[in-house]
């Protein structure tokens, strides 16, 4: 059989793992059971368990390695999480080496937003694009920058913190210390907060507000309009900086595209001369791999070796 | 003698040219006499004249080629200015090929802000730094991004428009169509405009306001504080995106560093978690080549071949 690898996506709650062959066929996907909040030892046991199940099924011979995407900043050379906001117990823990030792297989650790960009580059909307930027809209906004075919990592693995681009100098406060980060005006909790401010209903989620917009609710549409404007400011900034061919919007919140995209494009058009001059060659689109982008990207890493 | 090349810096008013050897020694510097507003034919005649004077003095044998930095966006493969805001007559004119034909020497055309970054990388504050960003503060704010040792150019040569990063969503209007571009709050005309708003004096230049700050004038210090805050927002955005090791501030306005730097650093510290976590390894400094960065960078290009 052809070569394959195992991708692991360690989310905010628990893990998913998949065996994916070198042609990008997803062979099997499974979920873990241990909440990440139980700390690195328990989580690594869960990752090892999931990887062994897949390896037992698809064989040791064809396995190129294991890639793991985690929602923190990674020191790639050390294979260590430098900072993972919500789960500090992972910081400094030798995640890569421990996994590699227990599984006796090469392991590559990567930031989850970067993994998603690598996934979209491999099998999604970014195929064949050597320069693109992925924004993943969920609880926060993750960013992955691909330049000349490689992830931009920064000198300690903290590049691509695109959710923390300032779009309103004195806007909503952010846990990072800043005010007006784009994720505080355009990610799921910001949608929910605006719904509350407009008394749209009790404890509505971003998805609830999307459903209301679908039904034509004026206030829900206003909320998505505001979200689109703020996202548009961040995108105009990125376009002015990178002049890349492609910008992809992924993550759960991107499903509301029909309701926020018009305001987003209007704002980009107004704020970026570069966009106006390159509209024919600048693609701003939805990502296509959905929640599986990170799994594809994580699995891609061992197949690439050190190429990305 | 050693190899040398000729660098030309085509500014907003007229040109300067220099012969610089492969070790970075400036052999001779001369100025042109034709205003760029007279259009490409007249300007090219002036450039050819300057280059011939230097070539006659230092010889044809050692000449690696000619590099020319111009304040517009460049299509590098065509050697043509794609957009030069103030001097539209250059747009689409075959500047590189015309120069090359008349001089019978290889010519490389480059954006002036990129040339300044290449100059600082070669002989200035960016020596040995493979990832840094240069902001050149003058009439506008030019940007040059060096990543993995190469200039980030974007798909049609418009990357690095860092002066047009939005720092105040509804701030001062800009000729690019946006509002609140950092250059409308932190470049020389913004300083002059603030001086006028504060009735600091008639027709004061940014340099006048710098001299007043030096004398301890409270309102002048307030102006530089405002400028530093806005520049700090843009730098925090860049740090969150790139996590580079170095950010350089050059251009005429950077001389007021003692008056704007404290507010700039305070703003960066507040707005960038990445900066707070990497303060020891993130260098935010003044560029060191002053007005000659662009000449050095332009001269560097033929010596590098296609390496940058």
């Amino acid at each position: 059989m052809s070569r394959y690898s195992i991708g692991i996506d360690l989310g905010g709650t628990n893990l998913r793992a998949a065996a994916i062959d070198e042609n990008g066929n997803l062979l099997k996907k499974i979920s873990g059971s241990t909440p990440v909040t139980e700390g690195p030892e328990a989580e690594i046991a869960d990752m090892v368990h999931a990887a062994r199940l897949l390896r037992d099924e698809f064989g040791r011979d064809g396995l190129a390695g294991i890639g793991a995407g985690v929602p923190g900043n990674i020191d790639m050379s050390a294979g260590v999480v430098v900072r993972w906001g919500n789960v500090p117990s992972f910081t400094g823990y030798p995640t890569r080496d421990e996994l590699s030792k227990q599984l006796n297989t090469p392991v590559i650790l990567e930031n989850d937003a970067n993994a998603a960009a690598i996934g979209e580059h491999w099998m999604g909307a970014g195929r064949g694009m050597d320069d693109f930027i992925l924004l993943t809209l969920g609880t926060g906004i993750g960013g992955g920058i691909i330049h000349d075919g490689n992830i931009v990592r920064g000198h300690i693995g903290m590049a691509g913190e695109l959710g923390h681009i300032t779009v309103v100098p004195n806007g909503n406060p952010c846990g990072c210390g800043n005010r007006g980060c784009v994720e505080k005006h355009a990610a799921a909790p910001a949608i929910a907060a605006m719904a509350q401010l407009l008394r749209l209903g009790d404890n509505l989620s971003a998805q609830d507000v999307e459903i209301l917009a679908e039904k034509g609710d004026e206030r829900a549409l206003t909320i998505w309009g505001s979200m689109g404007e703020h996202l548009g400011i961040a995108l105009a900034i990125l376009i002015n900086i990178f002049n890349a061919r492609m910008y992809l919007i992924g993550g759960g919140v991107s499903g509301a595209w029909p309701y926020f995209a018009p305001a987003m494009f209007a704002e980009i058009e107004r704020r970026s001369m570069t966009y106006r001059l390159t509209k024919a060659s600048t693609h701003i689109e939805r990502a296509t791999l959905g929640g599986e982008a990170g799994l594809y990207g994580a699995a891609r890493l061992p197949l690439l070796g050190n190429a990305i």
Side-chain angles (χ1 to χ4, degrees), chain A:
Chain A
M1 69 169 286
S2 67
R3 279 169 85 230
Y4 78 103
S5 77
I6 293 172
I8 298 176
D9 187 7
L10 199 56
T13 48
N14 59 12
L15 73 85
R16 294 174 307 146
I20 299 180
D21 75 16
E22 61 187 336
N23 300 314
N25 299 304
L26 198 155
L27 306 174
K28 185 166 188 169
K29 191 169 77 167
I30 58 178
S31 293
S33 56
T34 308
V36 291
T37 45
E38 290 196 12
E41 281 88 358
E43 198 54 45
I44 277 171
D46 206 25
M47 291 162 90
V48 167
H49 178 70
R52 281 203 180 120
L53 281 179
L54 292 166
R55 188 172 63 184
D56 287 348
E57 182 163 348
F58 298 100
R60 191 181 270 273
D61 290 352
L63 181 62
I66 292 170
V70 308
N73 302 109
I74 312 294
D75 178 336
M76 295 295 291
S77 59
V80 162
V81 175
V82 176
R83 189 194 63 87
W84 180 349
N86 303 323
V87 192
S89 59
F90 271 85
T91 302
Y93 187 86
T95 305
R96 180 193 67 194
D97 291 349
E98 196 54 41
L99 269 176
S100 181
K101 194 177 77 183
Q102 293 192 30
L103 287 161
N104 195 24
T105 303
V107 173
I108 300 175
L109 208 62
E110 177 58 280
N111 168 267
D112 62 347
N114 287 347
I118 294 166
E120 291 287 344
H121 190 220
W122 185 26
M123 293 302 296
R127 283 171 86 153
M129 283 284 164
D130 272 356
D131 292 277
F132 75 89
I133 292 173
L134 171 66
L135 293 173
T136 302
L137 314 184
T139 315
I141 295 184
I145 303 168
I146 296 217
H147 176 70
D148 275 352
N150 292 299
I151 285 284
V152 174
R153 292 213 167 78
H155 78 278
I156 64 146
M158 287 191 72
E161 286 285 354
L162 308 184
H164 297 284
I165 291 175
T166 302
V167 294
V168 184
N170 289 304
N172 293 329
C174 182
C176 80
N178 191 11
R179 290 195 200 166
C181 290
V182 62
E183 71 174 39
K184 293 303 168 199
H185 292 268
I191 302 298
M194 285 190 273
Q196 198 153 358
L197 287 167
L198 284 187
R199 299 174 188 277
L200 206 57
D202 280 341
N203 296 316
L204 295 185
S205 68
Q207 204 167 2
D208 295 330
V209 182
E210 183 184 335
I211 292 165
L212 284 170
E214 210 174 322
K215 291 178 180 160
D217 183 285
E218 285 292 338
R219 287 175 300 169
L221 289 166
T222 302
I223 289 169
W224 288 111
S226 170
M227 178 277 196
E229 281 171 26
H230 290 100
L231 187 59
I233 296 175
L235 279 162
I237 288 172
L238 289 168
I239 293 168
N240 289 343
I241 292 173
F242 287 99
N243 179 216
R245 278 189 201 279
M246 180 175 266
Y247 304 83
L248 295 175
I249 312 295
V253 179
S254 66
W257 177 272
Y259 315 113
F260 68 75
M264 177 189 83
F265 278 109
E267 204 68 20
I268 294 168
E269 178 122 15
R270 183 160 82 96
R271 294 194 184 273
S272 175
M273 180 181 54
T274 303
Y275 178 70
R276 294 196 303 275
L277 287 172
T278 63
K279 215 186 285 187
S281 56
T282 301
H283 305 280
I284 304 173
E285 299 172 7
R286 290 187 63 181
T288 54
L289 294 181
E292 286 173 357
L295 276 176
Y296 277 92
R300 177 67 163 158
L301 291 164
L303 294 165
L304 284 171
N306 293 320
I308 202 157

